[in-house]
Amino acid sequence: MNTSSSAEPEGTHWDAPNGIKVLYRFAQPEQIEPEKTYPLILFLHGAAERGSDNNAQIKHGVMPILENAAKLDQPVFLIAPQCPKDEWWSPYGEGLLRLAEADGENLLMDAVLELVEKTGEKSPIDRSRIYLTGISMGGFGSWDVLTRASERFAAAIPICGGGDPEKAGKFKSIPIRIYHGADDDTVPPEASQMMADALEKAGGKPELILYPGVAHDAWTQTYADLEVIEWLLSQRKPD
């Protein structure tokens, strides 16, 4: 039975214990079978989708992810929070090459991570199959999340973002695919290269995919690729 869903996620919000209100879109399988658990994907959008409409954050990435999961007959839960206007998932450093405060105080990200945790408590989530992905500002945000809470995730796909190479040892054991346009003139591809190099130096085995001739939009062809979503959903945390 195909219980996958590629319907547009529903809008709702989360009042976090730290006082932050997180607007987010939430997708779940069309049918939830008794005694069965399902993967959860956390999606972090880019800077252009910030705001308070609880809608812009699904403009890129979300629907292709859900559509490919449905093609694979892999029902999933998905959380797509919206970053408020003029805020960032995590502050950038100079030149958009790396994060400035990957382990600094970040109430918004704390609230998002608490939302993931609470969703896992109230919904039939497979704790060995929680995944992370994000684009541009959300790519930076993905690296921030890995620095703060790598133990919660089975795999990650940061797209055209950058992290803190000095923190790579914290998430060296997690399967990570990194995507970036080789001709990106917004976020330099060196940002992803630095993280791949740092992970390898730390003992990790990241995959770095640079798209020749592609500028900043590395996400469209990434999420449209069925194999990418199949790879993501095949990863599991070890017992």
Side-chain angles (χ1 to χ4, degrees):
M1 179 185 299
N2 188 328
T3 57
S4 302
S5 174
S6 57
E8 187 172 292
E10 296 183 358
T12 185
H13 72 276
W14 157 247
D15 292 313
N18 64 5
I20 300 296
K21 180 177 181 178
V22 180
L23 301 177
Y24 70 102
R25 289 295 191 104
F26 183 65
Q28 61 183 355
E30 288 182 353
Q31 296 181 1
I32 295 176
E33 299 180 26
E35 308 303 320
K36 186 173 180 178
T37 57
Y38 301 86
L40 170 65
I41 300 171
L42 173 62
F43 173 84
L44 300 178
H45 65 78
E49 291 76 60
R50 292 174 294 178
S52 58
D53 65 349
N54 203 10
N55 184 59
Q57 74 266 35
I58 65 171
K59 180 179 180 180
H60 302 293
V62 168
M63 293 312 299
I65 291 172
L66 293 175
E67 288 162 4
N68 274 330
K71 289 177 184 177
L72 293 165
D73 194 16
Q74 291 263 7
V76 299
F77 287 86
L78 183 143
I79 295 172
Q82 185 173 38
C83 183
K85 182 181 179 181
D86 299 326
E87 293 189 29
W88 307 93
W89 293 126
S90 187
Y92 306 157
E94 186 176 354
L96 292 181
L97 279 171
R98 57 183 292 160
L99 290 172
E101 301 174 15
D103 56 358
E105 183 180 71
N106 189 327
L107 295 179
L108 175 59
M109 198 62 82
D110 289 344
V112 168
L113 288 170
E114 182 69 12
L115 170 61
V116 171
E117 183 65 23
K118 291 300 180 183
T119 302
E121 292 176 2
K122 69 181 183 180
S123 301
I125 304 299
D126 184 343
R127 294 303 187 105
S128 72
R129 300 179 70 197
I130 299 179
Y131 307 111
L132 169 68
T133 188
I135 63 174
S136 192
M137 180 186 77
F140 282 91
S142 296
W143 290 116
D144 181 278
V145 167
L146 287 172
T147 301
R148 296 174 189 278
S150 61
E151 71 283 353
R152 303 188 193 184
F153 296 91
I157 299 180
I159 301 176
C160 55
D164 184 345
E166 296 177 7
K167 306 295 191 303
K170 292 187 174 184
F171 42 86
K172 64 182 179 180
S173 62
I174 296 178
I176 299 175
R177 279 191 177 184
I178 309 165
Y179 292 87
H180 213 122
D183 294 342
D184 193 334
D185 57 1
T186 301
V187 178
E190 289 80 8
S192 286
Q193 185 69 63
M194 285 169 56
M195 292 308 298
D197 291 345
L199 279 165
E200 289 181 353
K201 185 177 180 181
K205 297 180 179 179
E207 295 181 61
L208 173 62
I209 296 90
L210 297 175
Y211 294 126
V214 173
H216 191 48
D217 179 5
W219 53 84
T220 297
Q221 66 192 93
T222 299
Y223 293 135
D225 188 340
L226 186 66
E227 188 277 334
V228 172
I229 306 306
E230 185 174 30
W231 173 86
L232 183 68
L233 295 176
S234 70
Q235 306 303 314
R236 292 177 180 272
K237 285 177 59 178
D239 293 335

